[in-house]
Amino acid sequence: MADKAVTIRTRKFMTNRLLSRKQFVIDVLHPGRPNVSKAELKEKLGRMYDVKDPNSIFVFKFRTHFGGGKSTGFGLIYDSVETAKKYEPKYRLIRNGLDTKVEKSGSK
Amino acid sequence: MEETSSSPDKETVDREAPQLAAALKEMKEGLDTVKAKVQALTAKVKASQFPTAEGISYLEAKHLLLLSYCQSLVYYLLRKAKGLSIDGHPVGRSLVEIRLFLEKIRPIDKKLQYQIQKLTTIGRGAAESTALNEKETDAPRRTEDLLKYRPNPDMLVSKSDTTAEGGSGVYKPPKFAPASMGEDKMSRQEKNALRKEKETLRQAGQSDYVRELMDDLQGKPEEIREVIGTESRELSTYKAKWEERARREEELFTRAPVTKLEKKKQKHLLKSRNGLLGLTDSFYDEIKTLPLEDDGGEKMSGFGGGGGSSGIRKFKKHKRRH
Protein backbone atom coordinates (compact mmCIF):
# COMPACT_ATOMS: atom_id res chain seq x y z
CA MET A 1 0.00 0.00 0.00
CA ALA A 2 1.32 3.33 -0.89
CA ASP A 3 2.45 5.31 2.05
CA LYS A 4 0.07 8.18 1.58
CA ALA A 5 1.85 10.81 3.63
CA VAL A 6 1.43 9.59 7.13
CA THR A 7 2.37 12.37 9.50
CA ILE A 8 3.20 11.79 13.10
CA ARG A 9 3.16 14.55 15.65
CA THR A 10 3.91 14.15 19.32
CA ARG A 11 2.36 16.30 22.00
CA LYS A 12 2.74 16.62 25.74
CA PHE A 13 6.21 15.21 25.64
CA MET A 14 7.49 14.38 29.11
CA THR A 15 10.61 12.65 30.34
CA ASN A 16 9.59 10.47 33.21
CA ARG A 17 12.78 9.97 35.20
CA LEU A 18 11.04 7.89 37.82
CA LEU A 19 10.14 5.22 35.33
CA SER A 20 13.13 5.97 33.10
CA ARG A 21 11.10 6.59 30.00
CA LYS A 22 9.76 9.26 27.72
CA GLN A 23 6.02 9.47 27.36
CA PHE A 24 3.92 11.49 24.94
CA VAL A 25 0.65 11.70 23.06
CA ILE A 26 0.85 10.75 19.39
CA ASP A 27 -1.26 12.36 16.69
CA VAL A 28 -1.25 10.42 13.45
CA LEU A 29 -2.60 12.05 10.31
CA HIS A 30 -3.45 9.51 7.66
CA PRO A 31 -5.87 10.92 5.13
CA GLY A 32 -7.20 8.32 2.82
CA ARG A 33 -6.03 5.41 4.89
CA PRO A 34 -8.21 3.63 7.41
CA ASN A 35 -5.57 3.11 10.03
CA VAL A 36 -1.84 2.94 10.60
CA SER A 37 -0.40 -0.24 12.04
CA LYS A 38 1.51 -0.12 15.30
CA ALA A 39 4.62 -1.63 13.78
CA GLU A 40 4.81 1.14 11.25
CA LEU A 41 4.34 3.71 13.97
CA LYS A 42 7.12 2.20 16.05
CA GLU A 43 9.46 2.27 13.14
CA LYS A 44 8.71 5.90 12.44
CA LEU A 45 9.11 6.86 16.06
CA GLY A 46 12.41 5.05 16.25
CA ARG A 47 13.67 7.11 13.37
CA MET A 48 12.35 10.33 14.86
CA TYR A 49 13.87 9.87 18.28
CA ASP A 50 16.99 7.89 17.40
CA VAL A 51 16.10 4.88 19.45
CA LYS A 52 18.64 2.09 19.36
CA ASP A 53 16.31 -0.74 20.17
CA PRO A 54 12.86 -0.52 18.61
CA ASN A 55 11.71 -3.08 21.13
CA SER A 56 11.68 -0.45 23.83
CA ILE A 57 8.99 1.59 22.08
CA PHE A 58 5.40 0.97 23.07
CA VAL A 59 2.36 2.52 21.43
CA PHE A 60 -1.15 1.87 22.58
CA LYS A 61 -4.73 3.13 23.00
CA PHE A 62 -5.19 4.51 19.52
CA ARG A 63 -8.55 5.98 18.62
CA THR A 64 -9.56 7.24 15.24
CA HIS A 65 -11.29 10.56 15.25
CA PHE A 66 -14.70 11.12 13.83
CA GLY A 67 -14.59 11.33 10.09
CA GLY A 68 -11.35 9.43 9.75
CA GLY A 69 -7.96 10.67 8.74
CA LYS A 70 -6.70 11.33 12.21
CA SER A 71 -6.04 9.13 15.20
CA THR A 72 -4.62 9.81 18.61
CA GLY A 73 -2.86 7.51 21.01
CA PHE A 74 -0.11 7.26 23.59
CA GLY A 75 3.51 6.31 23.24
CA LEU A 76 6.36 5.37 25.53
CA ILE A 77 10.06 5.01 24.84
CA TYR A 78 12.02 3.26 27.53
CA ASP A 79 15.71 3.77 28.21
CA SER A 80 16.44 0.09 27.79
CA VAL A 81 14.66 -3.17 27.32
CA GLU A 82 15.42 -4.16 30.91
CA THR A 83 13.56 -1.17 32.32
CA ALA A 84 10.76 -1.86 29.90
CA LYS A 85 10.47 -5.40 31.18
CA LYS A 86 10.38 -4.08 34.70
CA TYR A 87 7.70 -1.45 34.30
CA GLU A 88 5.44 -2.40 31.46
CA PRO A 89 2.33 -4.48 31.98
CA LYS A 90 2.48 -7.99 30.67
CA TYR A 91 0.06 -7.66 27.83
CA ARG A 92 2.08 -4.91 26.22
CA LEU A 93 5.29 -6.91 26.55
CA ILE A 94 3.57 -9.80 24.84
CA ARG A 95 2.46 -7.51 22.03
CA ASN A 96 6.03 -6.41 21.54
CA GLY A 97 7.29 -9.93 21.65
CA LEU A 98 9.30 -9.52 24.82
CA ASP A 99 7.25 -12.02 26.71
CA THR A 100 5.11 -15.04 26.08
CA LYS A 101 1.56 -15.64 27.02
CA VAL A 102 0.87 -18.15 29.73
CA GLU A 103 -2.18 -20.23 29.00
CA LYS A 104 -4.22 -20.41 32.14
CA SER A 105 -7.08 -22.80 32.55
CA GLY A 106 -10.43 -21.06 32.54
CA SER A 107 -12.52 -20.62 35.66
CA LYS A 108 -14.80 -23.52 36.37
CA MET B 1 39.00 44.40 77.53
CA GLU B 2 38.97 48.09 77.29
CA GLU B 3 38.06 50.18 80.24
CA THR B 4 35.65 52.75 79.01
CA SER B 5 36.62 55.98 80.60
CA SER B 6 33.14 57.17 81.28
CA SER B 7 33.46 60.86 81.95
CA PRO B 8 30.15 61.89 83.35
CA ASP B 9 29.45 65.32 84.67
CA LYS B 10 29.60 65.73 88.37
CA GLU B 11 25.97 66.90 88.43
CA THR B 12 24.57 63.77 86.84
CA VAL B 13 26.58 61.67 89.25
CA ASP B 14 25.22 63.62 92.16
CA ARG B 15 21.72 63.39 90.82
CA GLU B 16 21.72 59.73 90.08
CA ALA B 17 23.75 58.54 93.03
CA PRO B 18 20.88 58.50 95.55
CA GLN B 19 18.59 56.74 93.04
CA LEU B 20 21.26 54.19 92.42
CA ALA B 21 21.75 53.70 96.14
CA ALA B 22 18.02 53.19 96.62
CA ALA B 23 17.82 50.71 93.75
CA LEU B 24 20.79 48.78 95.06
CA LYS B 25 19.30 48.64 98.52
CA GLU B 26 16.04 47.29 97.13
CA MET B 27 17.91 44.68 95.19
CA LYS B 28 19.84 43.61 98.25
CA GLU B 29 16.67 43.24 100.27
CA GLY B 30 15.01 41.23 97.54
CA LEU B 31 18.00 38.99 97.24
CA ASP B 32 18.07 38.44 100.96
CA THR B 33 14.44 37.35 101.10
CA VAL B 34 14.88 35.04 98.12
CA LYS B 35 17.98 33.57 99.70
CA ALA B 36 16.15 32.87 102.93
CA LYS B 37 13.22 31.22 101.19
CA VAL B 38 15.38 29.14 98.91
CA GLN B 39 17.48 27.99 101.84
CA ALA B 40 14.36 26.93 103.72
CA LEU B 41 13.16 25.01 100.67
CA THR B 42 16.43 23.29 100.01
CA ALA B 43 16.64 22.27 103.67
CA LYS B 44 13.25 20.71 103.42
CA VAL B 45 14.07 18.97 100.15
CA LYS B 46 17.24 17.61 101.66
CA ALA B 47 15.17 16.32 104.52
CA SER B 48 13.12 14.65 101.77
CA GLN B 49 9.90 16.24 102.78
CA PHE B 50 9.23 17.41 99.23
CA PRO B 51 10.01 14.75 96.69
CA THR B 52 10.91 16.61 93.54
CA ALA B 53 11.60 13.68 91.29
CA GLU B 54 8.38 13.78 89.31
CA GLY B 55 7.58 17.39 88.85
CA ILE B 56 5.98 19.09 85.90
CA SER B 57 8.83 19.27 83.44
CA TYR B 58 7.48 22.48 82.03
CA LEU B 59 7.84 24.16 85.38
CA GLU B 60 11.35 22.80 85.74
CA ALA B 61 12.29 24.30 82.42
CA LYS B 62 10.75 27.60 83.43
CA HIS B 63 12.69 27.67 86.68
CA LEU B 64 15.93 26.95 84.92
CA LEU B 65 15.26 29.72 82.45
CA LEU B 66 14.52 32.20 85.22
CA LEU B 67 17.62 31.20 87.09
CA SER B 68 19.87 31.64 84.12
CA TYR B 69 18.23 34.95 83.42
CA CYS B 70 18.97 36.13 86.93
CA GLN B 71 22.55 34.95 86.63
CA SER B 72 23.07 36.80 83.41
CA LEU B 73 21.53 39.91 84.91
CA VAL B 74 23.86 39.78 87.85
CA TYR B 75 26.86 39.33 85.64
CA TYR B 76 25.73 42.20 83.48
CA LEU B 77 25.39 44.46 86.50
CA LEU B 78 28.79 43.40 87.72
CA ARG B 79 30.43 44.35 84.50
CA LYS B 80 28.64 47.63 84.43
CA ALA B 81 29.58 48.37 88.00
CA LYS B 82 33.21 47.70 87.29
CA GLY B 83 33.02 49.92 84.25
CA LEU B 84 33.73 47.23 81.70
CA SER B 85 32.00 47.42 78.36
CA ILE B 86 29.42 44.89 77.37
CA ASP B 87 29.51 45.60 73.68
CA GLY B 88 30.97 42.44 72.32
CA HIS B 89 30.27 40.24 75.28
CA PRO B 90 27.93 37.30 74.83
CA VAL B 91 26.12 38.10 78.07
CA GLY B 92 24.04 40.76 76.32
CA ARG B 93 22.97 38.30 73.68
CA SER B 94 22.08 35.61 76.16
CA LEU B 95 20.03 38.11 78.15
CA VAL B 96 18.00 38.97 75.10
CA GLU B 97 17.56 35.31 74.18
CA ILE B 98 16.35 34.27 77.60
CA ARG B 99 14.03 37.22 77.76
CA LEU B 100 12.56 36.17 74.45
CA PHE B 101 11.98 32.63 75.68
CA LEU B 102 10.28 33.88 78.82
CA GLU B 103 7.96 36.02 76.76
CA LYS B 104 7.12 33.11 74.50
CA ILE B 105 6.20 30.77 77.31
CA ARG B 106 3.91 33.30 78.89
CA PRO B 107 0.81 32.18 76.95
CA ILE B 108 1.57 28.53 77.76
CA ASP B 109 1.82 29.58 81.35
CA LYS B 110 -1.57 31.10 81.27
CA LYS B 111 -3.12 28.05 79.75
CA LEU B 112 -1.57 25.74 82.31
CA GLN B 113 -2.52 27.97 85.20
CA TYR B 114 -5.74 26.15 85.94
CA GLN B 115 -4.13 22.72 85.88
CA ILE B 116 -1.16 23.70 87.98
CA GLN B 117 -3.30 25.30 90.63
CA LYS B 118 -5.52 22.31 90.82
CA LEU B 119 -2.55 20.02 91.23
CA THR B 120 -0.98 22.16 93.91
CA THR B 121 -4.18 22.39 95.95
CA ILE B 122 -4.60 18.65 95.74
CA GLY B 123 -0.97 18.08 96.55
CA ARG B 124 -1.11 20.39 99.46
CA GLY B 125 -4.08 18.71 100.98
CA ALA B 126 -4.56 19.46 104.61
CA ALA B 127 -0.86 19.98 105.26
CA GLU B 128 0.50 23.38 105.98
CA SER B 129 1.98 24.87 102.86
CA THR B 130 4.97 27.06 102.43
CA ALA B 131 3.88 29.49 99.81
CA LEU B 132 6.09 29.29 96.80
CA ASN B 133 4.81 32.60 95.52
CA GLU B 134 2.88 35.18 97.34
CA LYS B 135 0.13 34.87 94.79
CA GLU B 136 -0.80 31.43 95.88
CA THR B 137 -1.86 32.40 99.38
CA ASP B 138 -4.48 34.72 98.01
CA ALA B 139 -5.29 32.58 95.06
CA PRO B 140 -6.65 29.43 96.71
CA ARG B 141 -9.81 31.10 97.97
CA ARG B 142 -10.54 32.69 94.63
CA THR B 143 -9.77 29.64 92.61
CA GLU B 144 -11.79 27.40 94.82
CA ASP B 145 -14.80 27.93 92.62
CA LEU B 146 -12.79 28.13 89.45
CA LEU B 147 -11.33 24.70 90.01
CA LYS B 148 -14.79 23.21 89.85
CA TYR B 149 -15.27 24.35 86.28
CA ARG B 150 -14.95 21.04 84.60
CA PRO B 151 -17.30 19.71 81.95
CA ASN B 152 -20.51 18.77 83.65
CA PRO B 153 -22.75 16.64 81.50
CA ASP B 154 -25.52 16.75 84.09
CA MET B 155 -26.13 20.35 83.26
CA LEU B 156 -27.08 19.67 79.66
CA VAL B 157 -30.70 20.37 78.80
CA SER B 158 -32.17 17.79 76.48
CA LYS B 159 -33.71 19.07 73.30
CA SER B 160 -36.86 17.07 73.66
CA ASP B 161 -37.51 18.18 77.18
CA THR B 162 -40.74 20.04 76.67
CA THR B 163 -41.69 20.14 80.30
CA ALA B 164 -38.67 22.20 81.12
CA GLU B 165 -40.43 25.54 80.64
CA GLY B 166 -43.25 25.40 83.13
CA GLY B 167 -44.73 28.78 83.31
CA SER B 168 -47.33 30.68 81.57
CA GLY B 169 -49.41 27.90 80.04
CA VAL B 170 -48.81 29.04 76.48
CA TYR B 171 -47.69 26.19 74.30
CA LYS B 172 -44.34 26.84 72.70
CA PRO B 173 -43.27 24.21 70.18
CA PRO B 174 -39.76 22.87 70.72
CA LYS B 175 -37.13 24.34 68.45
CA PHE B 176 -35.25 21.58 66.73
CA ALA B 177 -34.05 22.89 63.43
CA PRO B 178 -33.23 26.43 62.38
CA ALA B 179 -36.06 28.04 60.48
CA SER B 180 -35.71 31.00 58.17
CA MET B 181 -38.18 33.75 57.49
CA GLY B 182 -39.59 33.36 54.03
CA GLU B 183 -39.18 36.98 53.13
CA ASP B 184 -38.59 36.81 49.43
CA LYS B 185 -40.63 33.78 48.65
CA MET B 186 -42.32 33.93 45.34
CA SER B 187 -45.63 32.31 44.83
CA ARG B 188 -45.76 29.24 42.69
CA GLN B 189 -47.19 31.09 39.74
CA GLU B 190 -44.48 33.66 39.80
CA LYS B 191 -41.81 31.01 39.96
CA ASN B 192 -43.28 29.12 37.06
CA ALA B 193 -43.63 32.23 35.01
CA LEU B 194 -39.99 33.04 35.61
CA ARG B 195 -38.91 29.57 34.64
CA LYS B 196 -40.97 29.61 31.50
CA GLU B 197 -39.42 32.86 30.48
CA LYS B 198 -35.95 31.50 30.97
CA GLU B 199 -36.77 28.42 28.95
CA THR B 200 -38.14 30.35 26.01
CA LEU B 201 -35.10 32.57 26.04
CA ARG B 202 -32.76 29.61 26.00
CA GLN B 203 -34.58 27.86 23.23
CA ALA B 204 -34.75 30.98 21.17
CA GLY B 205 -30.98 31.22 21.36
CA GLN B 206 -30.63 27.72 20.03
CA SER B 207 -32.57 27.99 16.86
CA ASP B 208 -30.57 28.40 13.70
CA TYR B 209 -32.36 31.41 12.39
CA VAL B 210 -31.86 33.40 15.57
CA ARG B 211 -28.24 32.40 15.68
CA GLU B 212 -27.69 33.64 12.18
CA LEU B 213 -29.39 36.88 13.09
CA MET B 214 -27.22 37.33 16.15
CA ASP B 215 -24.05 36.58 14.22
CA ASP B 216 -25.07 39.11 11.66
CA LEU B 217 -25.76 41.80 14.21
CA GLN B 218 -22.55 41.16 16.06
CA GLY B 219 -20.59 41.21 12.89
CA LYS B 220 -19.20 37.71 13.27
CA PRO B 221 -17.69 36.26 10.12
CA GLU B 222 -19.74 33.71 8.30
CA GLU B 223 -18.51 30.22 8.95
CA ILE B 224 -18.48 27.73 6.16
CA ARG B 225 -17.93 24.27 7.42
CA GLU B 226 -17.08 21.44 5.17
CA VAL B 227 -19.98 19.20 5.94
CA ILE B 228 -22.42 17.46 3.75
CA GLY B 229 -25.79 18.96 4.40
CA THR B 230 -26.38 20.82 7.62
CA GLU B 231 -24.58 19.57 10.65
CA SER B 232 -27.23 18.44 13.04
CA ARG B 233 -27.28 19.70 16.55
CA GLU B 234 -27.02 16.19 17.86
CA LEU B 235 -23.82 15.66 16.00
CA SER B 236 -22.22 18.88 17.12
CA THR B 237 -22.96 18.20 20.78
CA TYR B 238 -21.65 14.71 20.36
CA LYS B 239 -18.44 15.96 18.84
CA ALA B 240 -18.00 18.61 21.51
CA LYS B 241 -18.45 16.02 24.22
CA TRP B 242 -15.92 13.72 22.69
CA GLU B 243 -13.40 16.45 22.23
CA GLU B 244 -13.68 17.37 25.88
CA ARG B 245 -13.26 13.74 26.77
CA ALA B 246 -10.21 13.39 24.59
CA ARG B 247 -8.65 16.43 26.19
CA ARG B 248 -9.11 14.98 29.62
CA GLU B 249 -7.75 11.62 28.57
CA GLU B 250 -4.62 13.17 27.19
CA GLU B 251 -4.15 15.06 30.40
CA LEU B 252 -4.19 11.90 32.45
CA PHE B 253 -2.51 9.66 29.89
CA THR B 254 -5.21 7.03 30.16
CA ARG B 255 -8.38 6.13 28.36
CA ALA B 256 -11.82 5.86 29.84
CA PRO B 257 -13.68 2.79 28.61
CA VAL B 258 -16.51 3.31 26.13
CA THR B 259 -19.77 2.08 27.54
CA LYS B 260 -22.38 0.18 25.57
CA LEU B 261 -24.71 3.12 25.41
CA GLU B 262 -21.97 5.28 24.06
CA LYS B 263 -21.19 2.68 21.45
CA LYS B 264 -24.82 2.55 20.44
CA LYS B 265 -25.00 6.26 20.06
CA GLN B 266 -21.79 6.28 18.09
CA LYS B 267 -23.16 3.67 15.71
CA HIS B 268 -26.36 5.58 15.30
CA LEU B 269 -24.59 8.78 14.43
CA LEU B 270 -21.99 7.28 12.19
CA LYS B 271 -24.57 5.59 10.04
CA SER B 272 -24.30 7.44 6.84
CA ARG B 273 -27.46 9.34 6.13
CA ASN B 274 -25.95 11.60 3.56
CA GLY B 275 -26.10 14.55 5.85
CA LEU B 276 -29.83 14.46 6.28
CA LEU B 277 -29.58 14.22 10.04
CA GLY B 278 -29.69 17.93 10.50
CA LEU B 279 -32.74 18.48 8.36
CA THR B 280 -35.27 18.20 11.11
CA ASP B 281 -33.39 20.17 13.69
CA SER B 282 -35.46 23.26 13.46
CA PHE B 283 -38.65 21.30 13.27
CA TYR B 284 -39.73 22.16 16.79
CA ASP B 285 -39.31 25.83 16.26
CA GLU B 286 -41.72 25.70 13.42
CA ILE B 287 -44.40 23.72 15.10
CA LYS B 288 -44.15 25.52 18.41
CA THR B 289 -46.52 28.26 17.38
CA LEU B 290 -48.97 26.07 15.57
CA PRO B 291 -52.24 25.36 17.31
CA LEU B 292 -52.08 21.63 17.77
CA GLU B 293 -54.61 19.26 19.20
CA ASP B 294 -53.49 19.13 22.79
CA ASP B 295 -54.48 22.47 24.17
CA GLY B 296 -53.73 21.05 27.56
CA GLY B 297 -50.33 22.56 26.99
CA GLU B 298 -51.59 25.71 28.64
CA LYS B 299 -52.72 23.93 31.73
CA MET B 300 -49.56 21.88 31.89
CA SER B 301 -47.52 24.98 32.44
CA GLY B 302 -48.27 24.58 36.11
CA PHE B 303 -46.04 21.55 36.23
CA GLY B 304 -42.32 22.14 36.45
CA GLY B 305 -40.53 23.20 33.32
CA GLY B 306 -43.41 24.80 31.55
CA GLY B 307 -45.14 23.57 28.47
CA GLY B 308 -42.16 24.33 26.29
CA SER B 309 -39.87 21.40 26.82
CA SER B 310 -42.33 18.89 28.21
CA GLY B 311 -44.69 19.37 25.32
CA ILE B 312 -41.93 19.06 22.79
CA ARG B 313 -40.51 15.93 24.29
CA LYS B 314 -43.36 14.04 22.72
CA PHE B 315 -41.92 14.70 19.31
CA LYS B 316 -38.43 13.52 20.13
CA LYS B 317 -36.83 11.78 17.20
CA HIS B 318 -35.23 8.85 18.88
CA LYS B 319 -36.64 7.91 22.23
CA ARG B 320 -33.51 6.86 24.02
CA ARG B 321 -33.01 5.82 27.57
CA HIS B 322 -30.53 8.22 29.10
Side-chain angles (χ1 to χ4, degrees):
Chain A
M1 273 256 359
D3 211 13
K4 278 192 201 171
V6 175
T7 321
I8 301 186
R9 283 187 307 194
T10 57
R11 285 190 285 136
K12 293 197 194 290
F13 190 91
M14 190 172 89
T15 315
N16 194 338
R17 279 286 106 222
L18 297 167
L19 299 171
S20 47
R21 70 184 185 196
K22 303 190 198 93
Q23 60 194 47
F24 41 85
V25 175
I26 307 175
D27 271 340
V28 188
L29 303 166
H30 47 88
R33 272 180 67 164
N35 218 343
V36 184
S37 70
K38 287 203 273 260
E40 202 181 323
L41 282 173
K42 283 206 290 194
E43 178 203 349
K44 282 203 185 314
L45 278 174
R47 259 185 281 144
M48 257 169 74
Y49 287 102
D50 284 336
V51 187
K52 283 164 225 131
D53 193 355
N55 263 346
S56 61
I57 307 178
F58 295 85
V59 288
F60 51 98
K61 295 271 192 245
F62 272 93
R63 271 218 199 118
T64 314
H65 279 233
F66 191 76
K70 183 171 171 193
S71 30
T72 314
F74 303 118
L76 309 166
I77 302 181
Y78 278 90
D79 287 349
S80 66
V81 181
E82 285 77 44
T83 45
K85 284 201 181 156
K86 204 160 76 152
Y87 293 124
E88 277 292 285
K90 264 201 123 201
Y91 74 94
R92 271 189 236 150
L93 292 171
I94 295 171
R95 279 188 198 171
N96 254 23
L98 296 172
D99 210 348
T100 46
K101 186 164 177 169
V102 174
E103 282 297 332
K104 277 202 279 192
S105 63
S107 59
K108 288 168 205 128
Chain B
M1 288 188 222
E2 51 156 330
E3 275 196 354
T4 50
S5 57
S6 49
S7 52
D9 295 331
K10 198 133 195 323
E11 293 108 51
T12 44
V13 172
D14 285 340
R15 224 186 316 133
E16 291 182 359
Q19 289 176 1
L20 184 64
L24 284 173
K25 197 166 170 203
E26 231 182 280
M27 204 170 99
K28 188 167 188 308
E29 282 174 12
L31 284 170
D32 282 338
T33 37
V34 169
K35 198 166 162 186
K37 288 188 183 175
V38 171
Q39 275 178 346
L41 268 179
T42 41
K44 284 209 177 163
V45 170
K46 283 202 181 127
S48 56
Q49 267 193 14
F50 287 157
T52 55
E54 290 167 26
I56 306 177
S57 57
Y58 160 73
L59 287 178
E60 244 183 85
K62 192 167 141 198
H63 294 153
L64 287 172
L65 266 178
L66 285 168
L67 272 175
S68 47
Y69 188 64
C70 292
Q71 276 182 328
S72 315
L73 265 178
V74 168
Y75 184 66
Y76 173 82
L77 285 171
L78 195 65
R79 281 184 76 88
K80 276 269 181 174
K82 286 204 176 167
L84 300 169
S85 129
I86 44 153
D87 241 344
H89 206 273
V91 74
R93 188 152 181 255
S94 62
L95 268 178
V96 172
E97 264 182 26
I98 299 176
R99 191 56 197 268
L100 210 76
F101 284 139
L102 287 169
E103 302 259 316
K104 286 206 171 178
I105 62 176
R106 199 179 294 170
I108 311 175
D109 215 12
K110 240 181 150 240
K111 286 187 191 166
L112 282 179
Q113 191 84 316
Y114 175 76
Q115 297 237 4
I116 295 174
Q117 278 176 358
K118 198 150 186 206
L119 284 171
T120 47
T121 46
I122 290 173
R124 227 178 285 147
E128 198 49 25
S129 66
T130 57
L132 300 169
N133 321 342
E134 274 147 46
K135 262 202 328 184
E136 275 186 5
T137 49
D138 302 326
R141 252 167 282 136
R142 256 191 297 123
T143 57
E144 206 48 36
D145 304 321
L146 287 178
L147 287 176
K148 298 233 173 81
Y149 280 179
R150 59 188 173 88
N152 198 359
D154 302 333
M155 294 290 288
L156 280 177
V157 181
S158 72
K159 265 187 181 173
S160 54
D161 195 1
T162 48
T163 60
E165 320 286 325
S168 53
V170 178
Y171 171 67
K172 284 204 168 65
K175 298 182 181 172
F176 284 116
S180 65
M181 266 174 65
E183 264 171 357
D184 47 8
K185 252 200 179 88
M186 292 192 279
S187 70
R188 192 189 301 170
Q189 284 86 13
E190 285 174 15
K191 265 200 277 188
N192 280 334
L194 212 77
R195 226 182 276 168
K196 208 157 163 222
E197 239 186 79
K198 271 208 312 200
E199 269 296 308
T200 43
L201 223 78
R202 186 179 73 88
Q203 287 193 341
Q206 280 187 348
S207 100
D208 268 351
Y209 175 65
V210 174
R211 253 191 271 170
E212 262 186 48
L213 207 65
M214 277 192 348
D215 284 348
D216 229 6
L217 286 174
Q218 288 179 338
K220 272 200 215 157
E222 257 185 61
E223 283 184 5
I224 302 177
R225 283 210 217 110
E226 202 202 282
V227 142
I228 309 167
T230 27
E231 195 171 271
S232 73
R233 202 182 305 157
E234 225 180 328
L235 200 62
S236 41
T237 50
Y238 173 78
K239 280 214 295 200
K241 226 185 271 176
W242 270 81
E243 267 167 34
E244 170 64 30
R245 186 191 165 124
R247 195 185 60 79
R248 232 181 270 153
E249 280 176 351
E250 278 166 19
E251 200 92 5
L252 302 170
F253 217 74
T254 43
R255 290 256 190 233
V258 191
T259 59
K260 260 201 200 152
L261 287 170
E262 281 171 0
K263 281 202 194 126
K264 259 198 204 170
K265 183 154 186 193
Q266 200 171 26
K267 204 165 100 170
H268 172 258
L269 283 174
L270 290 179
K271 238 195 278 188
S272 147
R273 264 163 282 209
N274 297 324
L276 295 176
L277 206 59
L279 258 186
T280 50
D281 259 350
S282 41
F283 182 60
Y284 315 135
D285 300 339
E286 273 137 47
I287 63 165
K288 245 196 291 208
T289 52
L290 292 177
L292 292 170
E293 276 163 29
D294 46 0
D295 267 0
E298 310 261 349
K299 292 181 198 143
M300 280 212 309
S301 60
F303 286 10
S309 47
S310 60
I312 272 174
R313 221 167 269 164
K314 296 170 80 186
F315 300 109
K316 202 114 166 104
K317 279 193 264 200
H318 189 128
K319 289 197 173 77
R320 247 190 304 272
R321 214 176 12 102
H322 283 294

